[in-house]
Amino acid sequence: MRLIFMGTPEFSVPTLTALAAHGHKVVACYTQPPRPAGRRGLELTKSPVHRQAEALAIPVHTPKSLKSPEEQDAFRALDADAAVVVAYGLLLPETILEAPRLGCYNGHASLLPRWRGAAPIQRAIMAGDTETGMMIMKMDIGLDTGDIALEDRMPIGADMTAGELHDALSQLGADLMVRAMAALERGSLTLTPQPDEGVVYASKIDKAECRIDWSRPASQVHNHIRGLSPFPGAWCEMEIGGKRERVKILRSRMASGVHGAPGEVTCGDGVFSVACGDGAVDLVTLQKAGGKPLGAADFLRGAPVTAVF
């Protein structure tokens, strides 16, 4: 089929690659414009999808908006059978949604209608969900409200981080989209409306919610840490060698047999435990500001940690 691909981050790349590898003609790739990067923000960096599209010799479009008649006419002129959208980052006006002959199809990383919105992977882990998945839906003008075409489920391990789940779902989504486009081409793709019950929104992660609250139960603290790892990263402050420093916690696990007031530290034999409102967590991988990630044993060799805030 003649496809338009719309995506931006690394999460989207496997789907673009798989569609091209399965013989579809990707006539154009839409992605976010290059952004300032580098230490001084002076270099413009192309998105991962932009770079992959160029490697596949696919024409790239980087409009800041799709609302203008000129952009909509250019999109329509591509004469696509369908558009595939995976983490693009721009809302699609109704005229764009209606332009491809067979519609626009979105790969979404949750079991809709749970976790509609911007951060479904992080929110699922932070909420303690034990299962998630990928869904292919035919897009409409609502926020992740379209009819479901295909789904594939995946368990969330007790210690799985958002980064690990992101990578697994990215590959799962690529396979699922290939299957969906094959069914669409055959005319056998069936659509099922989303249920009205169970709608939950996955709001964008706010920096203000990244600080760890040790007064919460250990299970919630653990889910908070792994749901924000590796980015933006849950953090706390520690008193290290008499100096208060900000530290990201990139990996944790539930501790056993550790008790104390929230924030109380227990260290020994390379294990770094912190008491919570109920129970405790072991801090497994930590990173000081400007430093590299370290395991607990290596982190504790630097200087004694006397308090956690």
Side-chain angles (χ1 to χ4, degrees):
M1 290 194 297
R2 287 177 61 86
L3 299 178
I4 297 169
F5 186 83
M6 311 178 82
T8 297
E10 196 64 46
F11 184 83
S12 316
V13 170
T15 301
L16 171 60
T17 305
L19 290 171
H22 279 77
H24 295 289
K25 175 65 175 177
V26 183
V27 295
C29 181
Y30 279 71
T31 189
Q32 290 286 295
R35 305 293 190 196
R39 181 165 293 183
R40 298 184 180 180
L42 300 177
E43 303 172 12
L44 289 178
T45 300
K46 297 174 181 178
S47 75
V49 164
H50 192 148
R51 296 193 297 271
Q52 181 66 0
E54 289 185 335
L56 295 170
I58 298 170
V60 177
H61 300 258
T62 59
K64 293 182 179 179
S65 169
L66 293 168
K67 295 179 179 178
S68 73
E70 294 78 14
E71 285 293 347
Q72 293 173 12
D73 287 345
F75 189 90
R76 194 180 297 110
L78 292 167
D79 192 29
D81 294 313
V84 170
V85 184
V86 182
Y88 177 35
L90 283 182
L91 293 176
L92 305 190
E94 190 170 7
T95 50
I96 293 289
L97 294 173
E98 294 174 348
R101 182 173 63 86
L102 299 174
C104 299
Y105 295 83
N106 176 239
H108 185 77
S110 82
L111 299 178
L112 294 166
R114 184 169 178 80
W115 304 125
R116 292 175 178 171
I121 294 174
Q122 294 94 331
R123 295 297 178 189
I125 293 179
M126 291 168 75
D129 292 3
T130 57
E131 184 182 48
T132 187
M134 286 295 302
M135 282 190 160
I136 308 300
M137 65 177 169
K138 185 175 183 181
M139 299 175 69
D140 59 21
I141 59 173
L143 177 62
D144 298 330
T145 55
D147 292 348
I148 300 302
L150 287 179
E151 71 168 66
D152 209 342
R153 293 171 178 258
M154 174 177 290
I156 302 176
D159 295 326
M160 187 178 236
T161 66
E164 292 165 343
L165 184 57
H166 166 284
D167 293 350
L169 288 175
S170 178
Q171 296 298 327
L172 186 68
D175 175 69
L176 199 62
M177 188 62 78
V178 167
R179 288 159 51 195
M181 291 300 102
L184 183 65
E185 187 173 16
R186 293 192 304 266
S188 61
L189 190 67
T190 58
L191 300 174
T192 304
Q194 293 185 36
D196 295 328
E197 302 79 27
V199 176
V200 183
Y201 287 95
S203 57
K204 185 178 179 180
I205 302 296
D206 191 299
K207 288 183 180 180
E209 63 183 307
C210 293
R211 183 162 189 164
I212 299 168
D213 180 358
W214 300 107
S215 68
R216 297 168 67 189
S219 60
Q220 293 182 17
V221 171
H222 177 53
N223 293 340
H224 183 241
I225 289 169
R226 64 196 187 98
L228 296 176
S229 176
F231 182 83
W235 63 275
C236 63
E237 290 185 326
M238 297 183 181
E239 190 169 295
I240 305 173
K243 180 182 177 183
R244 195 156 171 156
E245 297 191 45
R246 177 166 164 160
V247 179
K248 278 187 181 182
I249 313 302
L250 299 176
R251 189 175 291 275
S252 60
R253 62 173 175 251
M254 296 291 291
S256 59
V258 179
H259 306 281
E264 187 173 332
V265 174
T266 303
C267 299
D269 295 326
V271 177
F272 185 173
S273 303
V274 180
C276 304
D278 178 21
V281 295
D282 292 334
L283 307 186
V284 177
T285 307
L286 308 89
Q287 183 178 19
K288 292 182 183 180
K292 63 180 181 180
L294 295 172
D298 290 332
F299 186 88
L300 292 170
R301 284 194 194 99
V305 178
T306 52
V308 173
F309 309 96

